[in-house]
Coordinates of all heavy atoms in Angstrom, one line a residue:
M100 N -0.5 41.2 20.7 CA -0.2 40.2 19.7 C -0.5 38.8 20.3 O -0.2 38.5 21.4 CB 1.3 40.3 19.4 CG 1.8 39.3 18.4 SD 3.6 39.4 18.1 CE 3.6 39.5 16.4
T101 N -1.1 38.0 19.4 CA -1.5 36.7 19.9 C -0.5 35.6 19.5 O 0.3 35.8 18.6 CB -2.9 36.3 19.3 OG1 -2.7 36.2 17.9 CG2 -4.0 37.2 19.7
S102 N -0.5 34.5 20.3 CA 0.5 33.5 20.0 C 0.0 32.7 18.8 O -1.2 32.5 18.6 CB 0.6 32.6 21.2 OG 1.3 31.4 20.9
R103 N 0.9 32.1 18.0 CA 0.6 31.3 16.9 C 0.3 29.9 17.3 O -0.2 29.1 16.6 CB 1.7 31.3 15.9 CG 1.8 32.6 15.1 CD 2.9 32.5 14.1 NE 3.0 33.7 13.4 CZ 2.4 33.9 12.2 NH1 1.8 33.0 11.6 NH2 2.6 35.1 11.6
I104 N 0.7 29.5 18.6 CA 0.4 28.2 19.1 C -0.9 28.2 19.9 O -0.9 28.8 20.9 CB 1.6 27.7 20.0 CG1 2.9 27.8 19.2 CG2 1.3 26.3 20.5 CD1 4.1 27.5 20.0
P105 N -1.9 27.5 19.4 CA -3.2 27.5 20.2 C -3.0 26.7 21.5 O -2.5 25.6 21.5 CB -4.1 26.8 19.2 CG -3.3 26.0 18.3 CD -2.0 26.7 18.2
R106 N -3.5 27.3 22.6 CA -3.4 26.7 23.8 C -4.6 25.8 24.1 O -4.5 24.8 24.9 CB -3.2 27.7 24.9 CG -1.8 28.4 24.8 CD -1.6 29.3 26.0 NE -0.3 29.9 26.1 CZ 0.5 30.3 25.2 NH1 0.2 30.2 24.0 NH2 1.6 30.9 25.5
D107 N -5.7 26.1 23.6 CA -6.9 25.3 23.8 C -7.4 24.8 22.5 O -8.3 25.3 21.8 CB -8.0 26.2 24.4 CG -9.2 25.4 24.8 OD1 -9.1 24.2 25.0 OD2 -10.3 26.0 24.8
S108 N -6.8 23.7 22.1 CA -7.1 23.1 20.8 C -8.5 22.4 20.9 O -8.7 21.6 21.8 CB -6.1 22.1 20.4 OG -6.5 21.4 19.2
R109 N -9.3 22.6 19.9 CA -10.6 22.0 19.9 C -10.6 20.6 19.2 O -11.5 19.9 19.1 CB -11.6 22.9 19.1 CG -11.7 24.2 19.8 CD -13.1 24.7 19.7 NE -13.2 26.1 20.3 CZ -13.7 26.3 21.5 NH1 -14.0 25.3 22.2 NH2 -13.7 27.5 22.0
L110 N -9.4 20.2 18.8 CA -9.2 18.9 18.1 C -9.1 17.8 19.2 O -9.1 16.6 18.8 CB -8.0 18.9 17.2 CG -8.0 19.9 16.1 CD1 -6.7 19.8 15.3 CD2 -9.2 19.5 15.2
R111 N -9.0 18.1 20.4 CA -8.8 17.1 21.5 C -10.1 16.8 22.2 O -10.1 16.6 23.4 CB -7.7 17.5 22.5 CG -6.4 17.8 21.8 CD -5.4 16.9 22.4 NE -4.2 17.2 21.6 CZ -3.3 16.3 21.4 NH1 -3.5 15.1 21.8 NH2 -2.2 16.5 20.8
L112 N -11.2 16.8 21.5 CA -12.5 16.6 22.2 C -12.7 15.1 22.5 O -13.4 14.8 23.5 CB -13.7 17.1 21.3 CG -13.7 18.6 21.0 CD1 -14.8 18.9 20.1 CD2 -13.8 19.3 22.3
V113 N -12.1 14.2 21.7 CA -12.3 12.8 22.0 C -10.9 12.2 22.5 O -9.9 12.5 22.0 CB -12.6 12.1 20.6 CG1 -12.7 10.6 20.9 CG2 -13.9 12.6 20.1
R114 N -11.0 11.5 23.6 CA -9.8 10.9 24.2 C -9.2 9.9 23.3 O -10.0 9.1 22.7 CB -10.1 10.3 25.6 CG -10.5 11.4 26.6 CD -10.6 10.7 28.0 NE -11.0 11.7 28.9 CZ -12.2 11.7 29.5 NH1 -13.1 10.8 29.2 NH2 -12.5 12.7 30.4
P115 N -7.9 9.8 23.2 CA -7.4 8.7 22.3 C -7.6 7.4 23.0 O -7.5 7.2 24.2 CB -5.9 9.1 22.3 CG -5.6 10.0 23.4 CD -6.9 10.7 23.7
R116 N -7.9 6.4 22.1 CA -8.1 5.0 22.6 C -6.9 4.2 22.5 O -6.1 4.4 21.6 CB -9.2 4.3 21.8 CG -10.6 4.8 22.1 CD -11.6 3.9 21.4 NE -11.9 4.4 20.1 CZ -12.7 3.8 19.3 NH1 -13.3 2.7 19.6 NH2 -12.9 4.3 18.1
T117 N -6.7 3.3 23.4 CA -5.6 2.4 23.3 C -5.8 1.4 22.1 O -6.9 1.2 21.7 CB -5.4 1.6 24.6 OG1 -6.6 0.8 24.8 CG2 -5.2 2.5 25.8
L118 N -4.8 0.7 21.7 CA -4.9 -0.2 20.6 C -5.8 -1.3 20.9 O -6.5 -1.9 20.1 CB -3.5 -0.7 20.2 CG -3.4 -1.5 18.9 CD1 -3.9 -0.6 17.8 CD2 -2.0 -1.9 18.6
A119 N -5.8 -1.8 22.2 CA -6.6 -2.9 22.6 C -8.1 -2.5 22.5 O -9.0 -3.4 22.3 CB -6.3 -3.3 24.0
A120 N -8.4 -1.2 22.7 CA -9.8 -0.8 22.6 C -10.3 -0.5 21.2 O -11.5 -0.2 21.0 CB -10.0 0.5 23.5
A121 N -9.4 -0.6 20.2 CA -9.8 -0.3 18.9 C -10.7 -1.4 18.3 O -10.7 -2.5 18.8 CB -8.5 -0.2 18.0
P122 N -11.5 -1.0 17.4 CA -12.4 -2.1 16.8 C -11.6 -3.2 16.2 O -10.6 -3.0 15.7 CB -13.2 -1.3 15.8 CG -13.0 0.1 16.1 CD -11.8 0.3 16.8
R123 N -12.2 -4.4 16.3 CA -11.5 -5.6 15.7 C -11.3 -5.5 14.2 O -10.3 -6.0 13.7 CB -12.3 -6.8 16.0 CG -12.3 -7.2 17.5 CD -11.0 -7.7 17.9 NE -10.9 -7.7 19.3 CZ -9.8 -7.5 20.0 NH1 -8.6 -7.2 19.4 NH2 -9.7 -7.5 21.3
A124 N -12.1 -4.8 13.5 CA -12.0 -4.7 12.0 C -10.7 -4.0 11.7 O -10.1 -4.3 10.6 CB -13.2 -4.0 11.4
M125 N -10.2 -3.1 12.5 CA -9.0 -2.4 12.2 C -7.8 -3.2 12.5 O -6.7 -3.0 11.9 CB -8.9 -1.1 13.1 CG -10.0 -0.1 12.8 SD -9.9 0.3 11.1 CE -9.9 2.1 11.2
T126 N -7.8 -4.2 13.4 CA -6.7 -5.0 13.7 C -6.5 -6.2 12.9 O -5.5 -6.9 12.9 CB -6.7 -5.4 15.2 OG1 -7.9 -6.1 15.5 CG2 -6.7 -4.1 16.1
Q127 N -7.6 -6.6 12.2 CA -7.5 -7.8 11.3 C -7.2 -7.5 9.9 O -7.5 -6.4 9.4 CB -8.9 -8.6 11.4 CG -9.3 -9.1 12.7 CD -10.7 -9.7 12.7 OE1 -11.4 -9.5 11.7 NE2 -11.0 -10.4 13.7
R128 N -6.4 -8.4 9.3 CA -6.1 -8.2 7.9 C -7.3 -8.5 7.0 O -8.0 -9.5 7.3 CB -4.9 -9.0 7.5 CG -3.6 -8.6 8.1 CD -2.5 -9.4 7.6 NE -1.2 -8.8 8.0 CZ -0.1 -9.3 7.7 NH1 0.0 -10.3 6.9 NH2 1.0 -8.7 8.1
P129 N -7.4 -7.8 5.9 CA -8.5 -8.2 5.0 C -8.2 -9.6 4.3 O -7.1 -10.0 4.2 CB -8.5 -7.1 3.9 CG -7.2 -6.5 4.0 CD -6.7 -6.7 5.4
V130 N -9.3 -10.2 3.9 CA -9.1 -11.5 3.3 C -8.6 -11.3 1.9 O -9.1 -10.5 1.1 CB -10.5 -12.3 3.3 CG1 -10.4 -13.6 2.6 CG2 -11.0 -12.5 4.7
R131 N -7.5 -12.0 1.6 CA -6.9 -11.9 0.3 C -7.4 -12.9 -0.7 O -7.5 -14.1 -0.3 CB -5.4 -12.0 0.4 CG -4.8 -10.8 1.1 CD -3.3 -10.9 1.1 NE -2.8 -10.7 -0.2 CZ -1.5 -10.7 -0.6 NH1 -0.6 -10.9 0.3 NH2 -1.2 -10.6 -1.8
R132 N -7.9 -12.5 -1.8 CA -8.3 -13.5 -2.8 C -7.1 -13.9 -3.7 O -6.2 -13.1 -3.9 CB -9.4 -12.8 -3.8 CG -10.6 -12.4 -3.0 CD -11.6 -11.8 -4.0 NE -11.0 -10.8 -4.8 CZ -11.7 -10.2 -5.8 NH1 -12.9 -10.5 -6.0 NH2 -11.1 -9.3 -6.5
P133 N -7.2 -15.1 -4.2 CA -6.1 -15.6 -5.0 C -6.1 -14.8 -6.4 O -7.1 -14.3 -6.8 CB -6.4 -17.1 -5.2 CG -7.8 -17.2 -5.0 CD -8.2 -16.2 -3.9
A134 N -4.9 -14.7 -6.9 CA -4.8 -14.0 -8.2 C -5.5 -14.8 -9.3 O -5.5 -16.0 -9.3 CB -3.4 -13.8 -8.6
P135 N -6.2 -14.1 -10.2 CA -6.9 -14.8 -11.3 C -5.9 -15.5 -12.2 O -4.7 -15.1 -12.4 CB -7.6 -13.7 -12.1 CG -6.9 -12.4 -11.7 CD -6.3 -12.6 -10.4
R136 N -6.3 -16.6 -12.8 CA -5.5 -17.4 -13.7 C -5.2 -16.6 -15.0 O -6.2 -15.9 -15.5 CB -6.1 -18.7 -14.0 CG -6.2 -19.6 -12.7 CD -6.7 -21.0 -13.0 NE -5.9 -21.7 -14.0 CZ -4.9 -22.5 -13.7 NH1 -4.6 -22.7 -12.5 NH2 -4.2 -23.1 -14.6
P137 N -4.0 -16.7 -15.6 CA -3.8 -16.0 -16.9 C -4.7 -16.7 -18.0 O -5.1 -17.8 -17.8 CB -2.3 -16.2 -17.1 CG -1.9 -17.4 -16.3 CD -2.9 -17.4 -15.1
P138 N -4.9 -16.0 -19.0 CA -5.7 -16.5 -20.1 C -5.0 -17.8 -20.7 O -3.8 -18.0 -20.6 CB -5.7 -15.4 -21.2 CG -5.3 -14.2 -20.5 CD -4.5 -14.6 -19.3
E139 N -5.8 -18.6 -21.3 CA -5.3 -19.9 -21.9 C -4.3 -19.6 -23.0 O -4.6 -18.7 -23.8 CB -6.5 -20.7 -22.5 CG -6.2 -22.1 -22.8 CD -5.9 -23.0 -21.6 OE1 -6.5 -22.7 -20.5 OE2 -5.1 -23.9 -21.7
G140 N -3.2 -20.3 -23.1 CA -2.2 -20.1 -24.1 C -1.2 -19.1 -23.7 O -0.3 -18.8 -24.5
T141 N -1.2 -18.5 -22.5 CA -0.1 -17.6 -22.0 C 1.1 -18.4 -21.8 O 1.0 -19.5 -21.1 CB -0.6 -16.9 -20.8 OG1 -1.8 -16.2 -21.0 CG2 0.5 -15.9 -20.3
P142 N 2.3 -18.0 -22.3 CA 3.5 -18.7 -22.0 C 3.8 -18.8 -20.5 O 3.4 -18.0 -19.7 CB 4.6 -17.9 -22.8 CG 3.8 -17.1 -23.7 CD 2.5 -16.8 -23.1
A143 N 4.7 -19.7 -20.2 CA 5.2 -19.9 -18.8 C 5.9 -18.6 -18.3 O 6.5 -17.9 -19.2 CB 6.1 -21.1 -18.7
P144 N 6.0 -18.3 -17.0 CA 6.7 -17.1 -16.5 C 8.1 -17.1 -17.0 O 8.6 -16.0 -17.3 CB 6.6 -17.3 -15.0 CG 5.3 -18.1 -14.8 CD 5.3 -19.0 -15.9
A145 N 8.8 -18.2 -17.0 CA 10.2 -18.1 -17.5 C 10.3 -17.7 -18.9 O 11.2 -16.9 -19.3 CB 10.9 -19.5 -17.3
E146 N 9.4 -18.2 -19.8 CA 9.5 -17.8 -21.2 C 9.1 -16.4 -21.4 O 9.7 -15.6 -22.2 CB 8.5 -18.7 -22.0 CG 8.6 -18.5 -23.5 CD 7.8 -19.5 -24.2 OE1 7.3 -20.5 -23.7 OE2 7.5 -19.2 -25.4
L147 N 8.1 -15.9 -20.6 CA 7.7 -14.5 -20.6 C 8.9 -13.6 -20.2 O 9.1 -12.5 -20.8 CB 6.5 -14.2 -19.7 CG 5.2 -14.7 -20.2 CD1 4.1 -14.5 -19.1 CD2 4.8 -13.9 -21.5
A148 N 9.6 -14.0 -19.2 CA 10.8 -13.2 -18.8 C 11.9 -13.2 -19.8 O 12.5 -12.1 -20.1 CB 11.4 -13.8 -17.5
R149 N 12.1 -14.3 -20.5 CA 13.1 -14.3 -21.6 C 12.7 -13.4 -22.7 O 13.5 -12.7 -23.3 CB 13.2 -15.8 -22.1 CG 14.4 -16.0 -22.9 CD 14.6 -17.5 -23.4 NE 14.2 -18.4 -22.3 CZ 13.2 -19.3 -22.3 NH1 12.4 -19.3 -23.4 NH2 12.9 -20.1 -21.4
M150 N 11.4 -13.4 -23.1 CA 10.9 -12.6 -24.1 C 11.0 -11.1 -23.8 O 11.4 -10.2 -24.6 CB 9.4 -12.9 -24.4 CG 9.2 -14.2 -25.1 SD 7.5 -14.8 -25.1 CE 6.6 -13.5 -25.8
A151 N 10.7 -10.7 -22.5 CA 10.8 -9.4 -22.0 C 12.3 -8.9 -22.1 O 12.5 -7.7 -22.5 CB 10.2 -9.2 -20.6
R152 N 13.2 -9.7 -21.6 CA 14.6 -9.3 -21.7 C 15.1 -9.1 -23.1 O 15.8 -8.1 -23.4 CB 15.5 -10.4 -21.0 CG 15.6 -10.3 -19.5 CD 16.6 -11.2 -19.0 NE 16.1 -12.0 -17.9 CZ 15.6 -13.2 -17.9 NH1 15.7 -13.9 -19.0 NH2 15.1 -13.7 -16.9
A153 N 14.6 -9.9 -24.0 CA 15.0 -9.7 -25.4 C 14.5 -8.4 -26.0 O 15.1 -7.7 -26.7 CB 14.5 -10.9 -26.3
E154 N 13.2 -8.1 -25.6 CA 12.6 -6.9 -26.1 C 13.2 -5.6 -25.5 O 13.3 -4.6 -26.1 CB 11.1 -6.9 -25.9 CG 10.3 -7.9 -26.7 CD 10.4 -7.6 -28.2 OE1 10.3 -6.4 -28.5 OE2 10.5 -8.5 -29.0
L155 N 13.6 -5.7 -24.3 CA 14.1 -4.5 -23.5 C 15.6 -4.4 -23.6 O 16.1 -3.4 -23.0 CB 13.6 -4.6 -22.1 CG 12.1 -4.5 -21.9 CD1 11.7 -4.7 -20.5 CD2 11.5 -3.2 -22.4
A156 N 16.3 -5.3 -24.2 CA 17.8 -5.2 -24.2 C 18.2 -3.9 -24.9 O 19.2 -3.2 -24.4 CB 18.3 -6.4 -25.0
G157 N 17.6 -3.5 -25.9 CA 18.0 -2.2 -26.6 C 17.8 -1.0 -25.7 O 18.6 -0.1 -25.6
A158 N 16.6 -1.0 -25.0 CA 16.4 0.2 -24.1 C 17.3 0.2 -23.0 O 17.8 1.3 -22.5 CB 14.9 0.1 -23.6
A159 N 17.7 -1.0 -22.4 CA 18.7 -1.0 -21.3 C 20.0 -0.5 -21.8 O 20.8 0.2 -21.1 CB 18.8 -2.4 -20.8
R160 N 20.4 -0.9 -23.0 CA 21.7 -0.5 -23.6 C 21.7 1.1 -23.7 O 22.7 1.7 -23.4 CB 21.9 -1.1 -25.0 CG 23.3 -1.2 -25.4 CD 23.5 -2.0 -26.7 NE 22.8 -3.3 -26.7 CZ 21.8 -3.6 -27.5 NH1 21.3 -2.7 -28.3 NH2 21.2 -4.8 -27.5
V161 N 20.6 1.7 -24.2 CA 20.6 3.1 -24.3 C 20.6 3.8 -23.0 O 21.3 4.8 -22.8 CB 19.3 3.5 -25.1 CG1 19.0 5.0 -25.0 CG2 19.3 3.0 -26.5
A162 N 20.0 3.2 -22.0 CA 19.9 3.8 -20.6 C 21.3 3.8 -20.0 O 21.6 4.7 -19.2 CB 18.9 3.0 -19.8
R163 N 22.1 2.7 -20.3 CA 23.4 2.7 -19.7 C 24.3 3.7 -20.4 O 25.2 4.3 -19.8 CB 24.0 1.3 -19.9 CG 23.4 0.3 -18.9 CD 24.1 -1.0 -19.0 NE 23.2 -2.1 -18.4 CZ 22.9 -3.2 -19.0 NH1 23.4 -3.6 -20.1 NH2 22.1 -4.0 -18.4

């Protein structure tokens, strides 16, 4: 009967690198682009939130 635990794993062919030896691209954060502007005529965020609360009030009441 053979063991289910392999003693000579072929997955260890490459030695693990330290974090300092990792490529620089992996350690740097990607450049974030600013969010696009909303279309002209879109209400302010506070007004949008008020409108959403009014529309979802019934659903929240049913969920409770």
Side-chain angles (χ1 to χ4, degrees):
M100 179 181 232
T101 60
S102 172
R103 288 183 180 258
I104 303 172
R106 289 189 174 36
D107 184 25
S108 173
R109 301 215 182 262
L110 297 176
R111 302 241 176 213
L112 295 176
V113 178
R114 291 188 184 109
R116 288 192 269 177
T117 62
L118 190 58
R123 289 287 165 215
M125 295 301 232
T126 59
Q127 293 176 349
R128 287 187 173 180
V130 177
R131 294 184 65 180
R132 296 185 309 177
R136 294 183 59 90
E139 194 67 34
T141 302
E146 189 176 343
L147 285 173
R149 194 177 323 112
M150 291 166 54
R152 273 190 231 101
E154 291 294 322
L155 297 174
R160 202 174 312 111
V161 169
R163 287 186 196 132

